[in-house]
Structure formats: structure tokens, C-alpha cells
């Protein structure tokens, strides 16, 4: 359940969704456990499923799910299966959901970073609603902020900027070392949208069983992933 086996790179073509569930704090941890257990027992065995990482906000009022399927067709086929949608009925009665389709925009790290089962750090995610202006310019500013945060922080291993251009949103994934974590969520008057997101910390990750034809690992890379990762 805690084994990361998905590929994140600027070259990957995985179908990536970020789902935000909004509900009452009293239900937050229970919904994460429900989704994680259902995924572990049933959904991860569906064809095309890669992985899902669950995040929980400090208030427990928001749950983030970082989901990857091999293709849109695989996700569409999953929706036709009862083992996929049965638990959604429970969730619909307790929380509202918003779904965005994201792609990796930029990875900010001093060197290639591999984060697998031995990684003992923390992954934060912050969802940002971009201001009503040129989307490319807004995303570029977020990238500038990520580079500045990465360079000035002693605990950050990498910052990954995901973009949902259709809905004008960006998701920041902040990978901290296992050492004492320092806050990077500071105000910056030149990039005020950084303060308008929700901070969430990874709770757990559920991955598909290793596929013999293409084992996958949880990797951050600023270039094309080495072929050794894609036997």
C-alpha cells in the first residue's frame, strides 16, 4: 500500500487527474481510508490503473487524489465496472468533488531525483487557481516561485508544477527531505496566487501490481526517464 511505482516526468503520457473532495472535517480521514482500502482491494487490479496518491489537508476538510491511468480509454472502461464506481455513491453523500486533468509543466530540482519505497520525506500538494490573465504567464510565475523556493530551502528535494490549462489551475508538488521540514508557504507580493491554494500532505499511495511488460517507479526527472525504468 505504501509502495510508489508510478512514473512522473515531462515525457510521460499517463492520463493524470487531480481530484479534490470537499466535505466536513469529521469525515476527512474516514473518506481517505475508504478510498485507499477500496483501491487496494479492487480498483488497483483494473486494467490500465497505475497509482493514486492521497493527500489530506490540515483541517481534514479537503482530500486530494493524484490519480494516474495509462490512457483515457482505460479510465473510461473502469467507469463501466461496478468495482470502480460502487464506493463513489458513498462519497457523493458525504463530499463534493472537482476534477482536473493535469500534465507535468516543469520539474525543479538540482539533479535527477528518484523517490521510491526508501523515500522517507513528505510530499505536500497545493492547488492554485490562476488569476484571469495569460495562463502561460501565470504558470511561468509559479515556476519562478518554485525555483526560488527550491534554491532557498534546505529541506526541499524537488518542486513539480502540474498544469490544468483548461480550468486555469496549477498543482504544486513539494517533495521534502526526511530532515526537519521548513515552511515554504510564505507570502510573496509578486506572486500572490501562491497564497490562495490549499496545502495538503500525502497520506498514502496505492499502486497497481507490477506489470511484467512495463514495471513503473515513482520518479522525478528533468529529462527522459532512463530505459532501465521501462523494461
Amino acid at each position: 500500500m505504501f509502495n510508489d511505482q508510478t512514473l512522473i516526468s515531462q515525457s510521460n503520457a499517463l492520463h493524470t487527474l487531480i481530484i479534490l473532495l470537499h466535505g466536513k472535517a469529521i469525515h476527512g480521514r474516514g473518506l481517505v481510508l475508504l478510498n485507499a482500502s477500496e483501491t487496494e482491494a479492487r480498483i488497483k487490479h483494473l486494467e490500465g490503473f497505475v497509482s493514486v496518491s492521497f493527500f489530506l489537508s490540515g483541517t481534514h476538510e479537503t482530500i486530494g487524489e493524484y490519480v494516474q491511468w495509462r490512457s483515457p480509454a482505460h479510465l473510461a472502461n473502469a467507469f463501466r465496472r461496478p468495482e470502480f464506481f460502487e464506493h463513489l455513491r458513498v462519497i457523493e453523500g458525504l463530499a463534493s468533488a472537482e476534477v482536473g486533468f493535469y500534465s507535468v509543466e516543469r520539474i525543479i530540482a538540482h539533479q535527477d531525483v528518484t523517490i521510491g519505497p526508501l523515500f522517507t520525506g513528505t510530499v505536500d500538494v497545493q492547488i492554485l487557481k490562476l488569476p484571469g490573465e495569460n495562463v502561460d504567464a501565470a504558470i511561468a510565475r509559479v515556476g519562478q516561485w518554485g525555483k526560488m523556493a527550491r534554491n532557498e530551502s534546505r529541506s526541499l528535494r524537488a518542486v513539480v508544477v502540474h498544469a490544468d490549462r483548461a480550468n486555469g489551475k496549477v498543482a504544486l508538488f513539494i517533495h521534502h527531505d526526511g530532515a526537519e521540514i521548513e515552511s515554504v508557504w510564505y507570502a510573496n507580493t509578486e506572486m500572490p496566487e501562491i497564497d490562495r491554494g490549499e496545502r495538503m500532505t500525502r497520506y498514502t499511495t496505492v499502486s497497481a501490481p507490477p506489470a511484467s511488460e512495463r514495471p513503473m517507479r515513482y520518479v522525478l526527472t528533468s529529462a527522459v526517464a532512463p530505459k532501465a525504468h521501462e523494461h
Side-chain angles (χ1 to χ4, degrees):
M1 191 178 210
F2 296 93
N3 183 28
D4 298 330
Q5 294 184 339
T6 184
L7 179 71
I8 299 179
S9 76
Q10 290 172 307
S11 62
N12 87 58
L14 296 177
H15 189 50
T16 302
L17 302 85
I18 296 179
I19 303 170
L20 296 181
L21 301 176
H22 304 285
K24 295 181 179 180
I26 193 173
H27 298 141
R29 192 180 299 274
L31 287 176
V32 171
L33 291 174
L34 170 65
N35 285 354
S37 63
E38 284 291 303
T39 304
E40 180 70 25
R42 309 173 76 183
I43 298 173
K44 80 173 190 178
H45 302 287
L46 295 177
E47 183 180 0
F49 175 80
V50 176
S51 76
V52 54
S53 292
F54 296 97
F55 297 80
L56 189 62
S57 67
T59 63
H60 290 192
E61 293 177 350
T62 303
I63 298 167
E65 298 183 12
Y66 178 78
V67 190
Q68 289 193 315
W69 291 79
R70 291 189 184 274
S71 71
H74 283 110
L75 177 58
N77 289 335
F79 264 105
R80 302 186 182 100
R81 303 287 295 272
E83 57 263 56
F84 180 85
F85 64 74
E86 282 181 349
H87 75 291
L88 298 181
R89 296 171 182 169
V90 178
I91 296 172
E92 289 172 354
L94 297 173
S96 61
E98 54 178 303
V99 180
F101 296 90
Y102 288 74
S103 60
V104 176
E105 184 77 21
R106 186 174 180 186
I107 296 172
I108 302 163
H110 287 326
Q111 57 187 0
D112 288 357
V113 180
T114 299
I115 301 175
L118 296 180
F119 177 60
T120 58
T122 301
V123 183
D124 290 338
V125 60
Q126 188 175 44
I127 307 296
L128 312 175
K129 178 66 177 178
L130 298 176
E133 58 173 275
N134 184 285
V135 172
D136 288 332
I139 293 174
R141 282 208 310 279
V142 174
Q144 293 168 14
W145 175 89
K147 183 176 181 180
M148 178 176 60
R150 172 65 187 85
N151 292 338
E152 293 184 1
S153 171
R154 294 185 299 275
S155 72
L156 285 184
R157 185 174 295 192
V159 178
V160 186
V161 181
H162 292 250
D164 175 6
R165 293 174 177 273
N167 295 308
K169 287 191 174 184
V170 163
L172 288 177
F173 286 79
I174 315 296
H175 293 253
H176 297 276
D177 282 322
E180 183 178 352
I181 295 174
E182 58 183 300
S183 174
V184 296
W185 310 102
Y186 50 82
N188 186 317
T189 55
E190 295 181 1
M191 302 172 208
E193 62 268 26
I194 294 298
D195 288 332
R196 295 209 290 268
E198 295 185 65
R199 179 181 177 181
M200 291 176 280
T201 302
R202 185 170 63 175
Y203 188 86
T204 187
T205 296
V206 178
S207 302
S212 58
E213 78 281 2
R214 186 185 175 189
M216 309 187 83
R217 298 171 60 192
Y218 193 67
V219 175
L220 292 178
T221 173
S222 57
V224 176
K227 293 182 179 180
H229 293 166
E230 302 180 357
H231 303 322

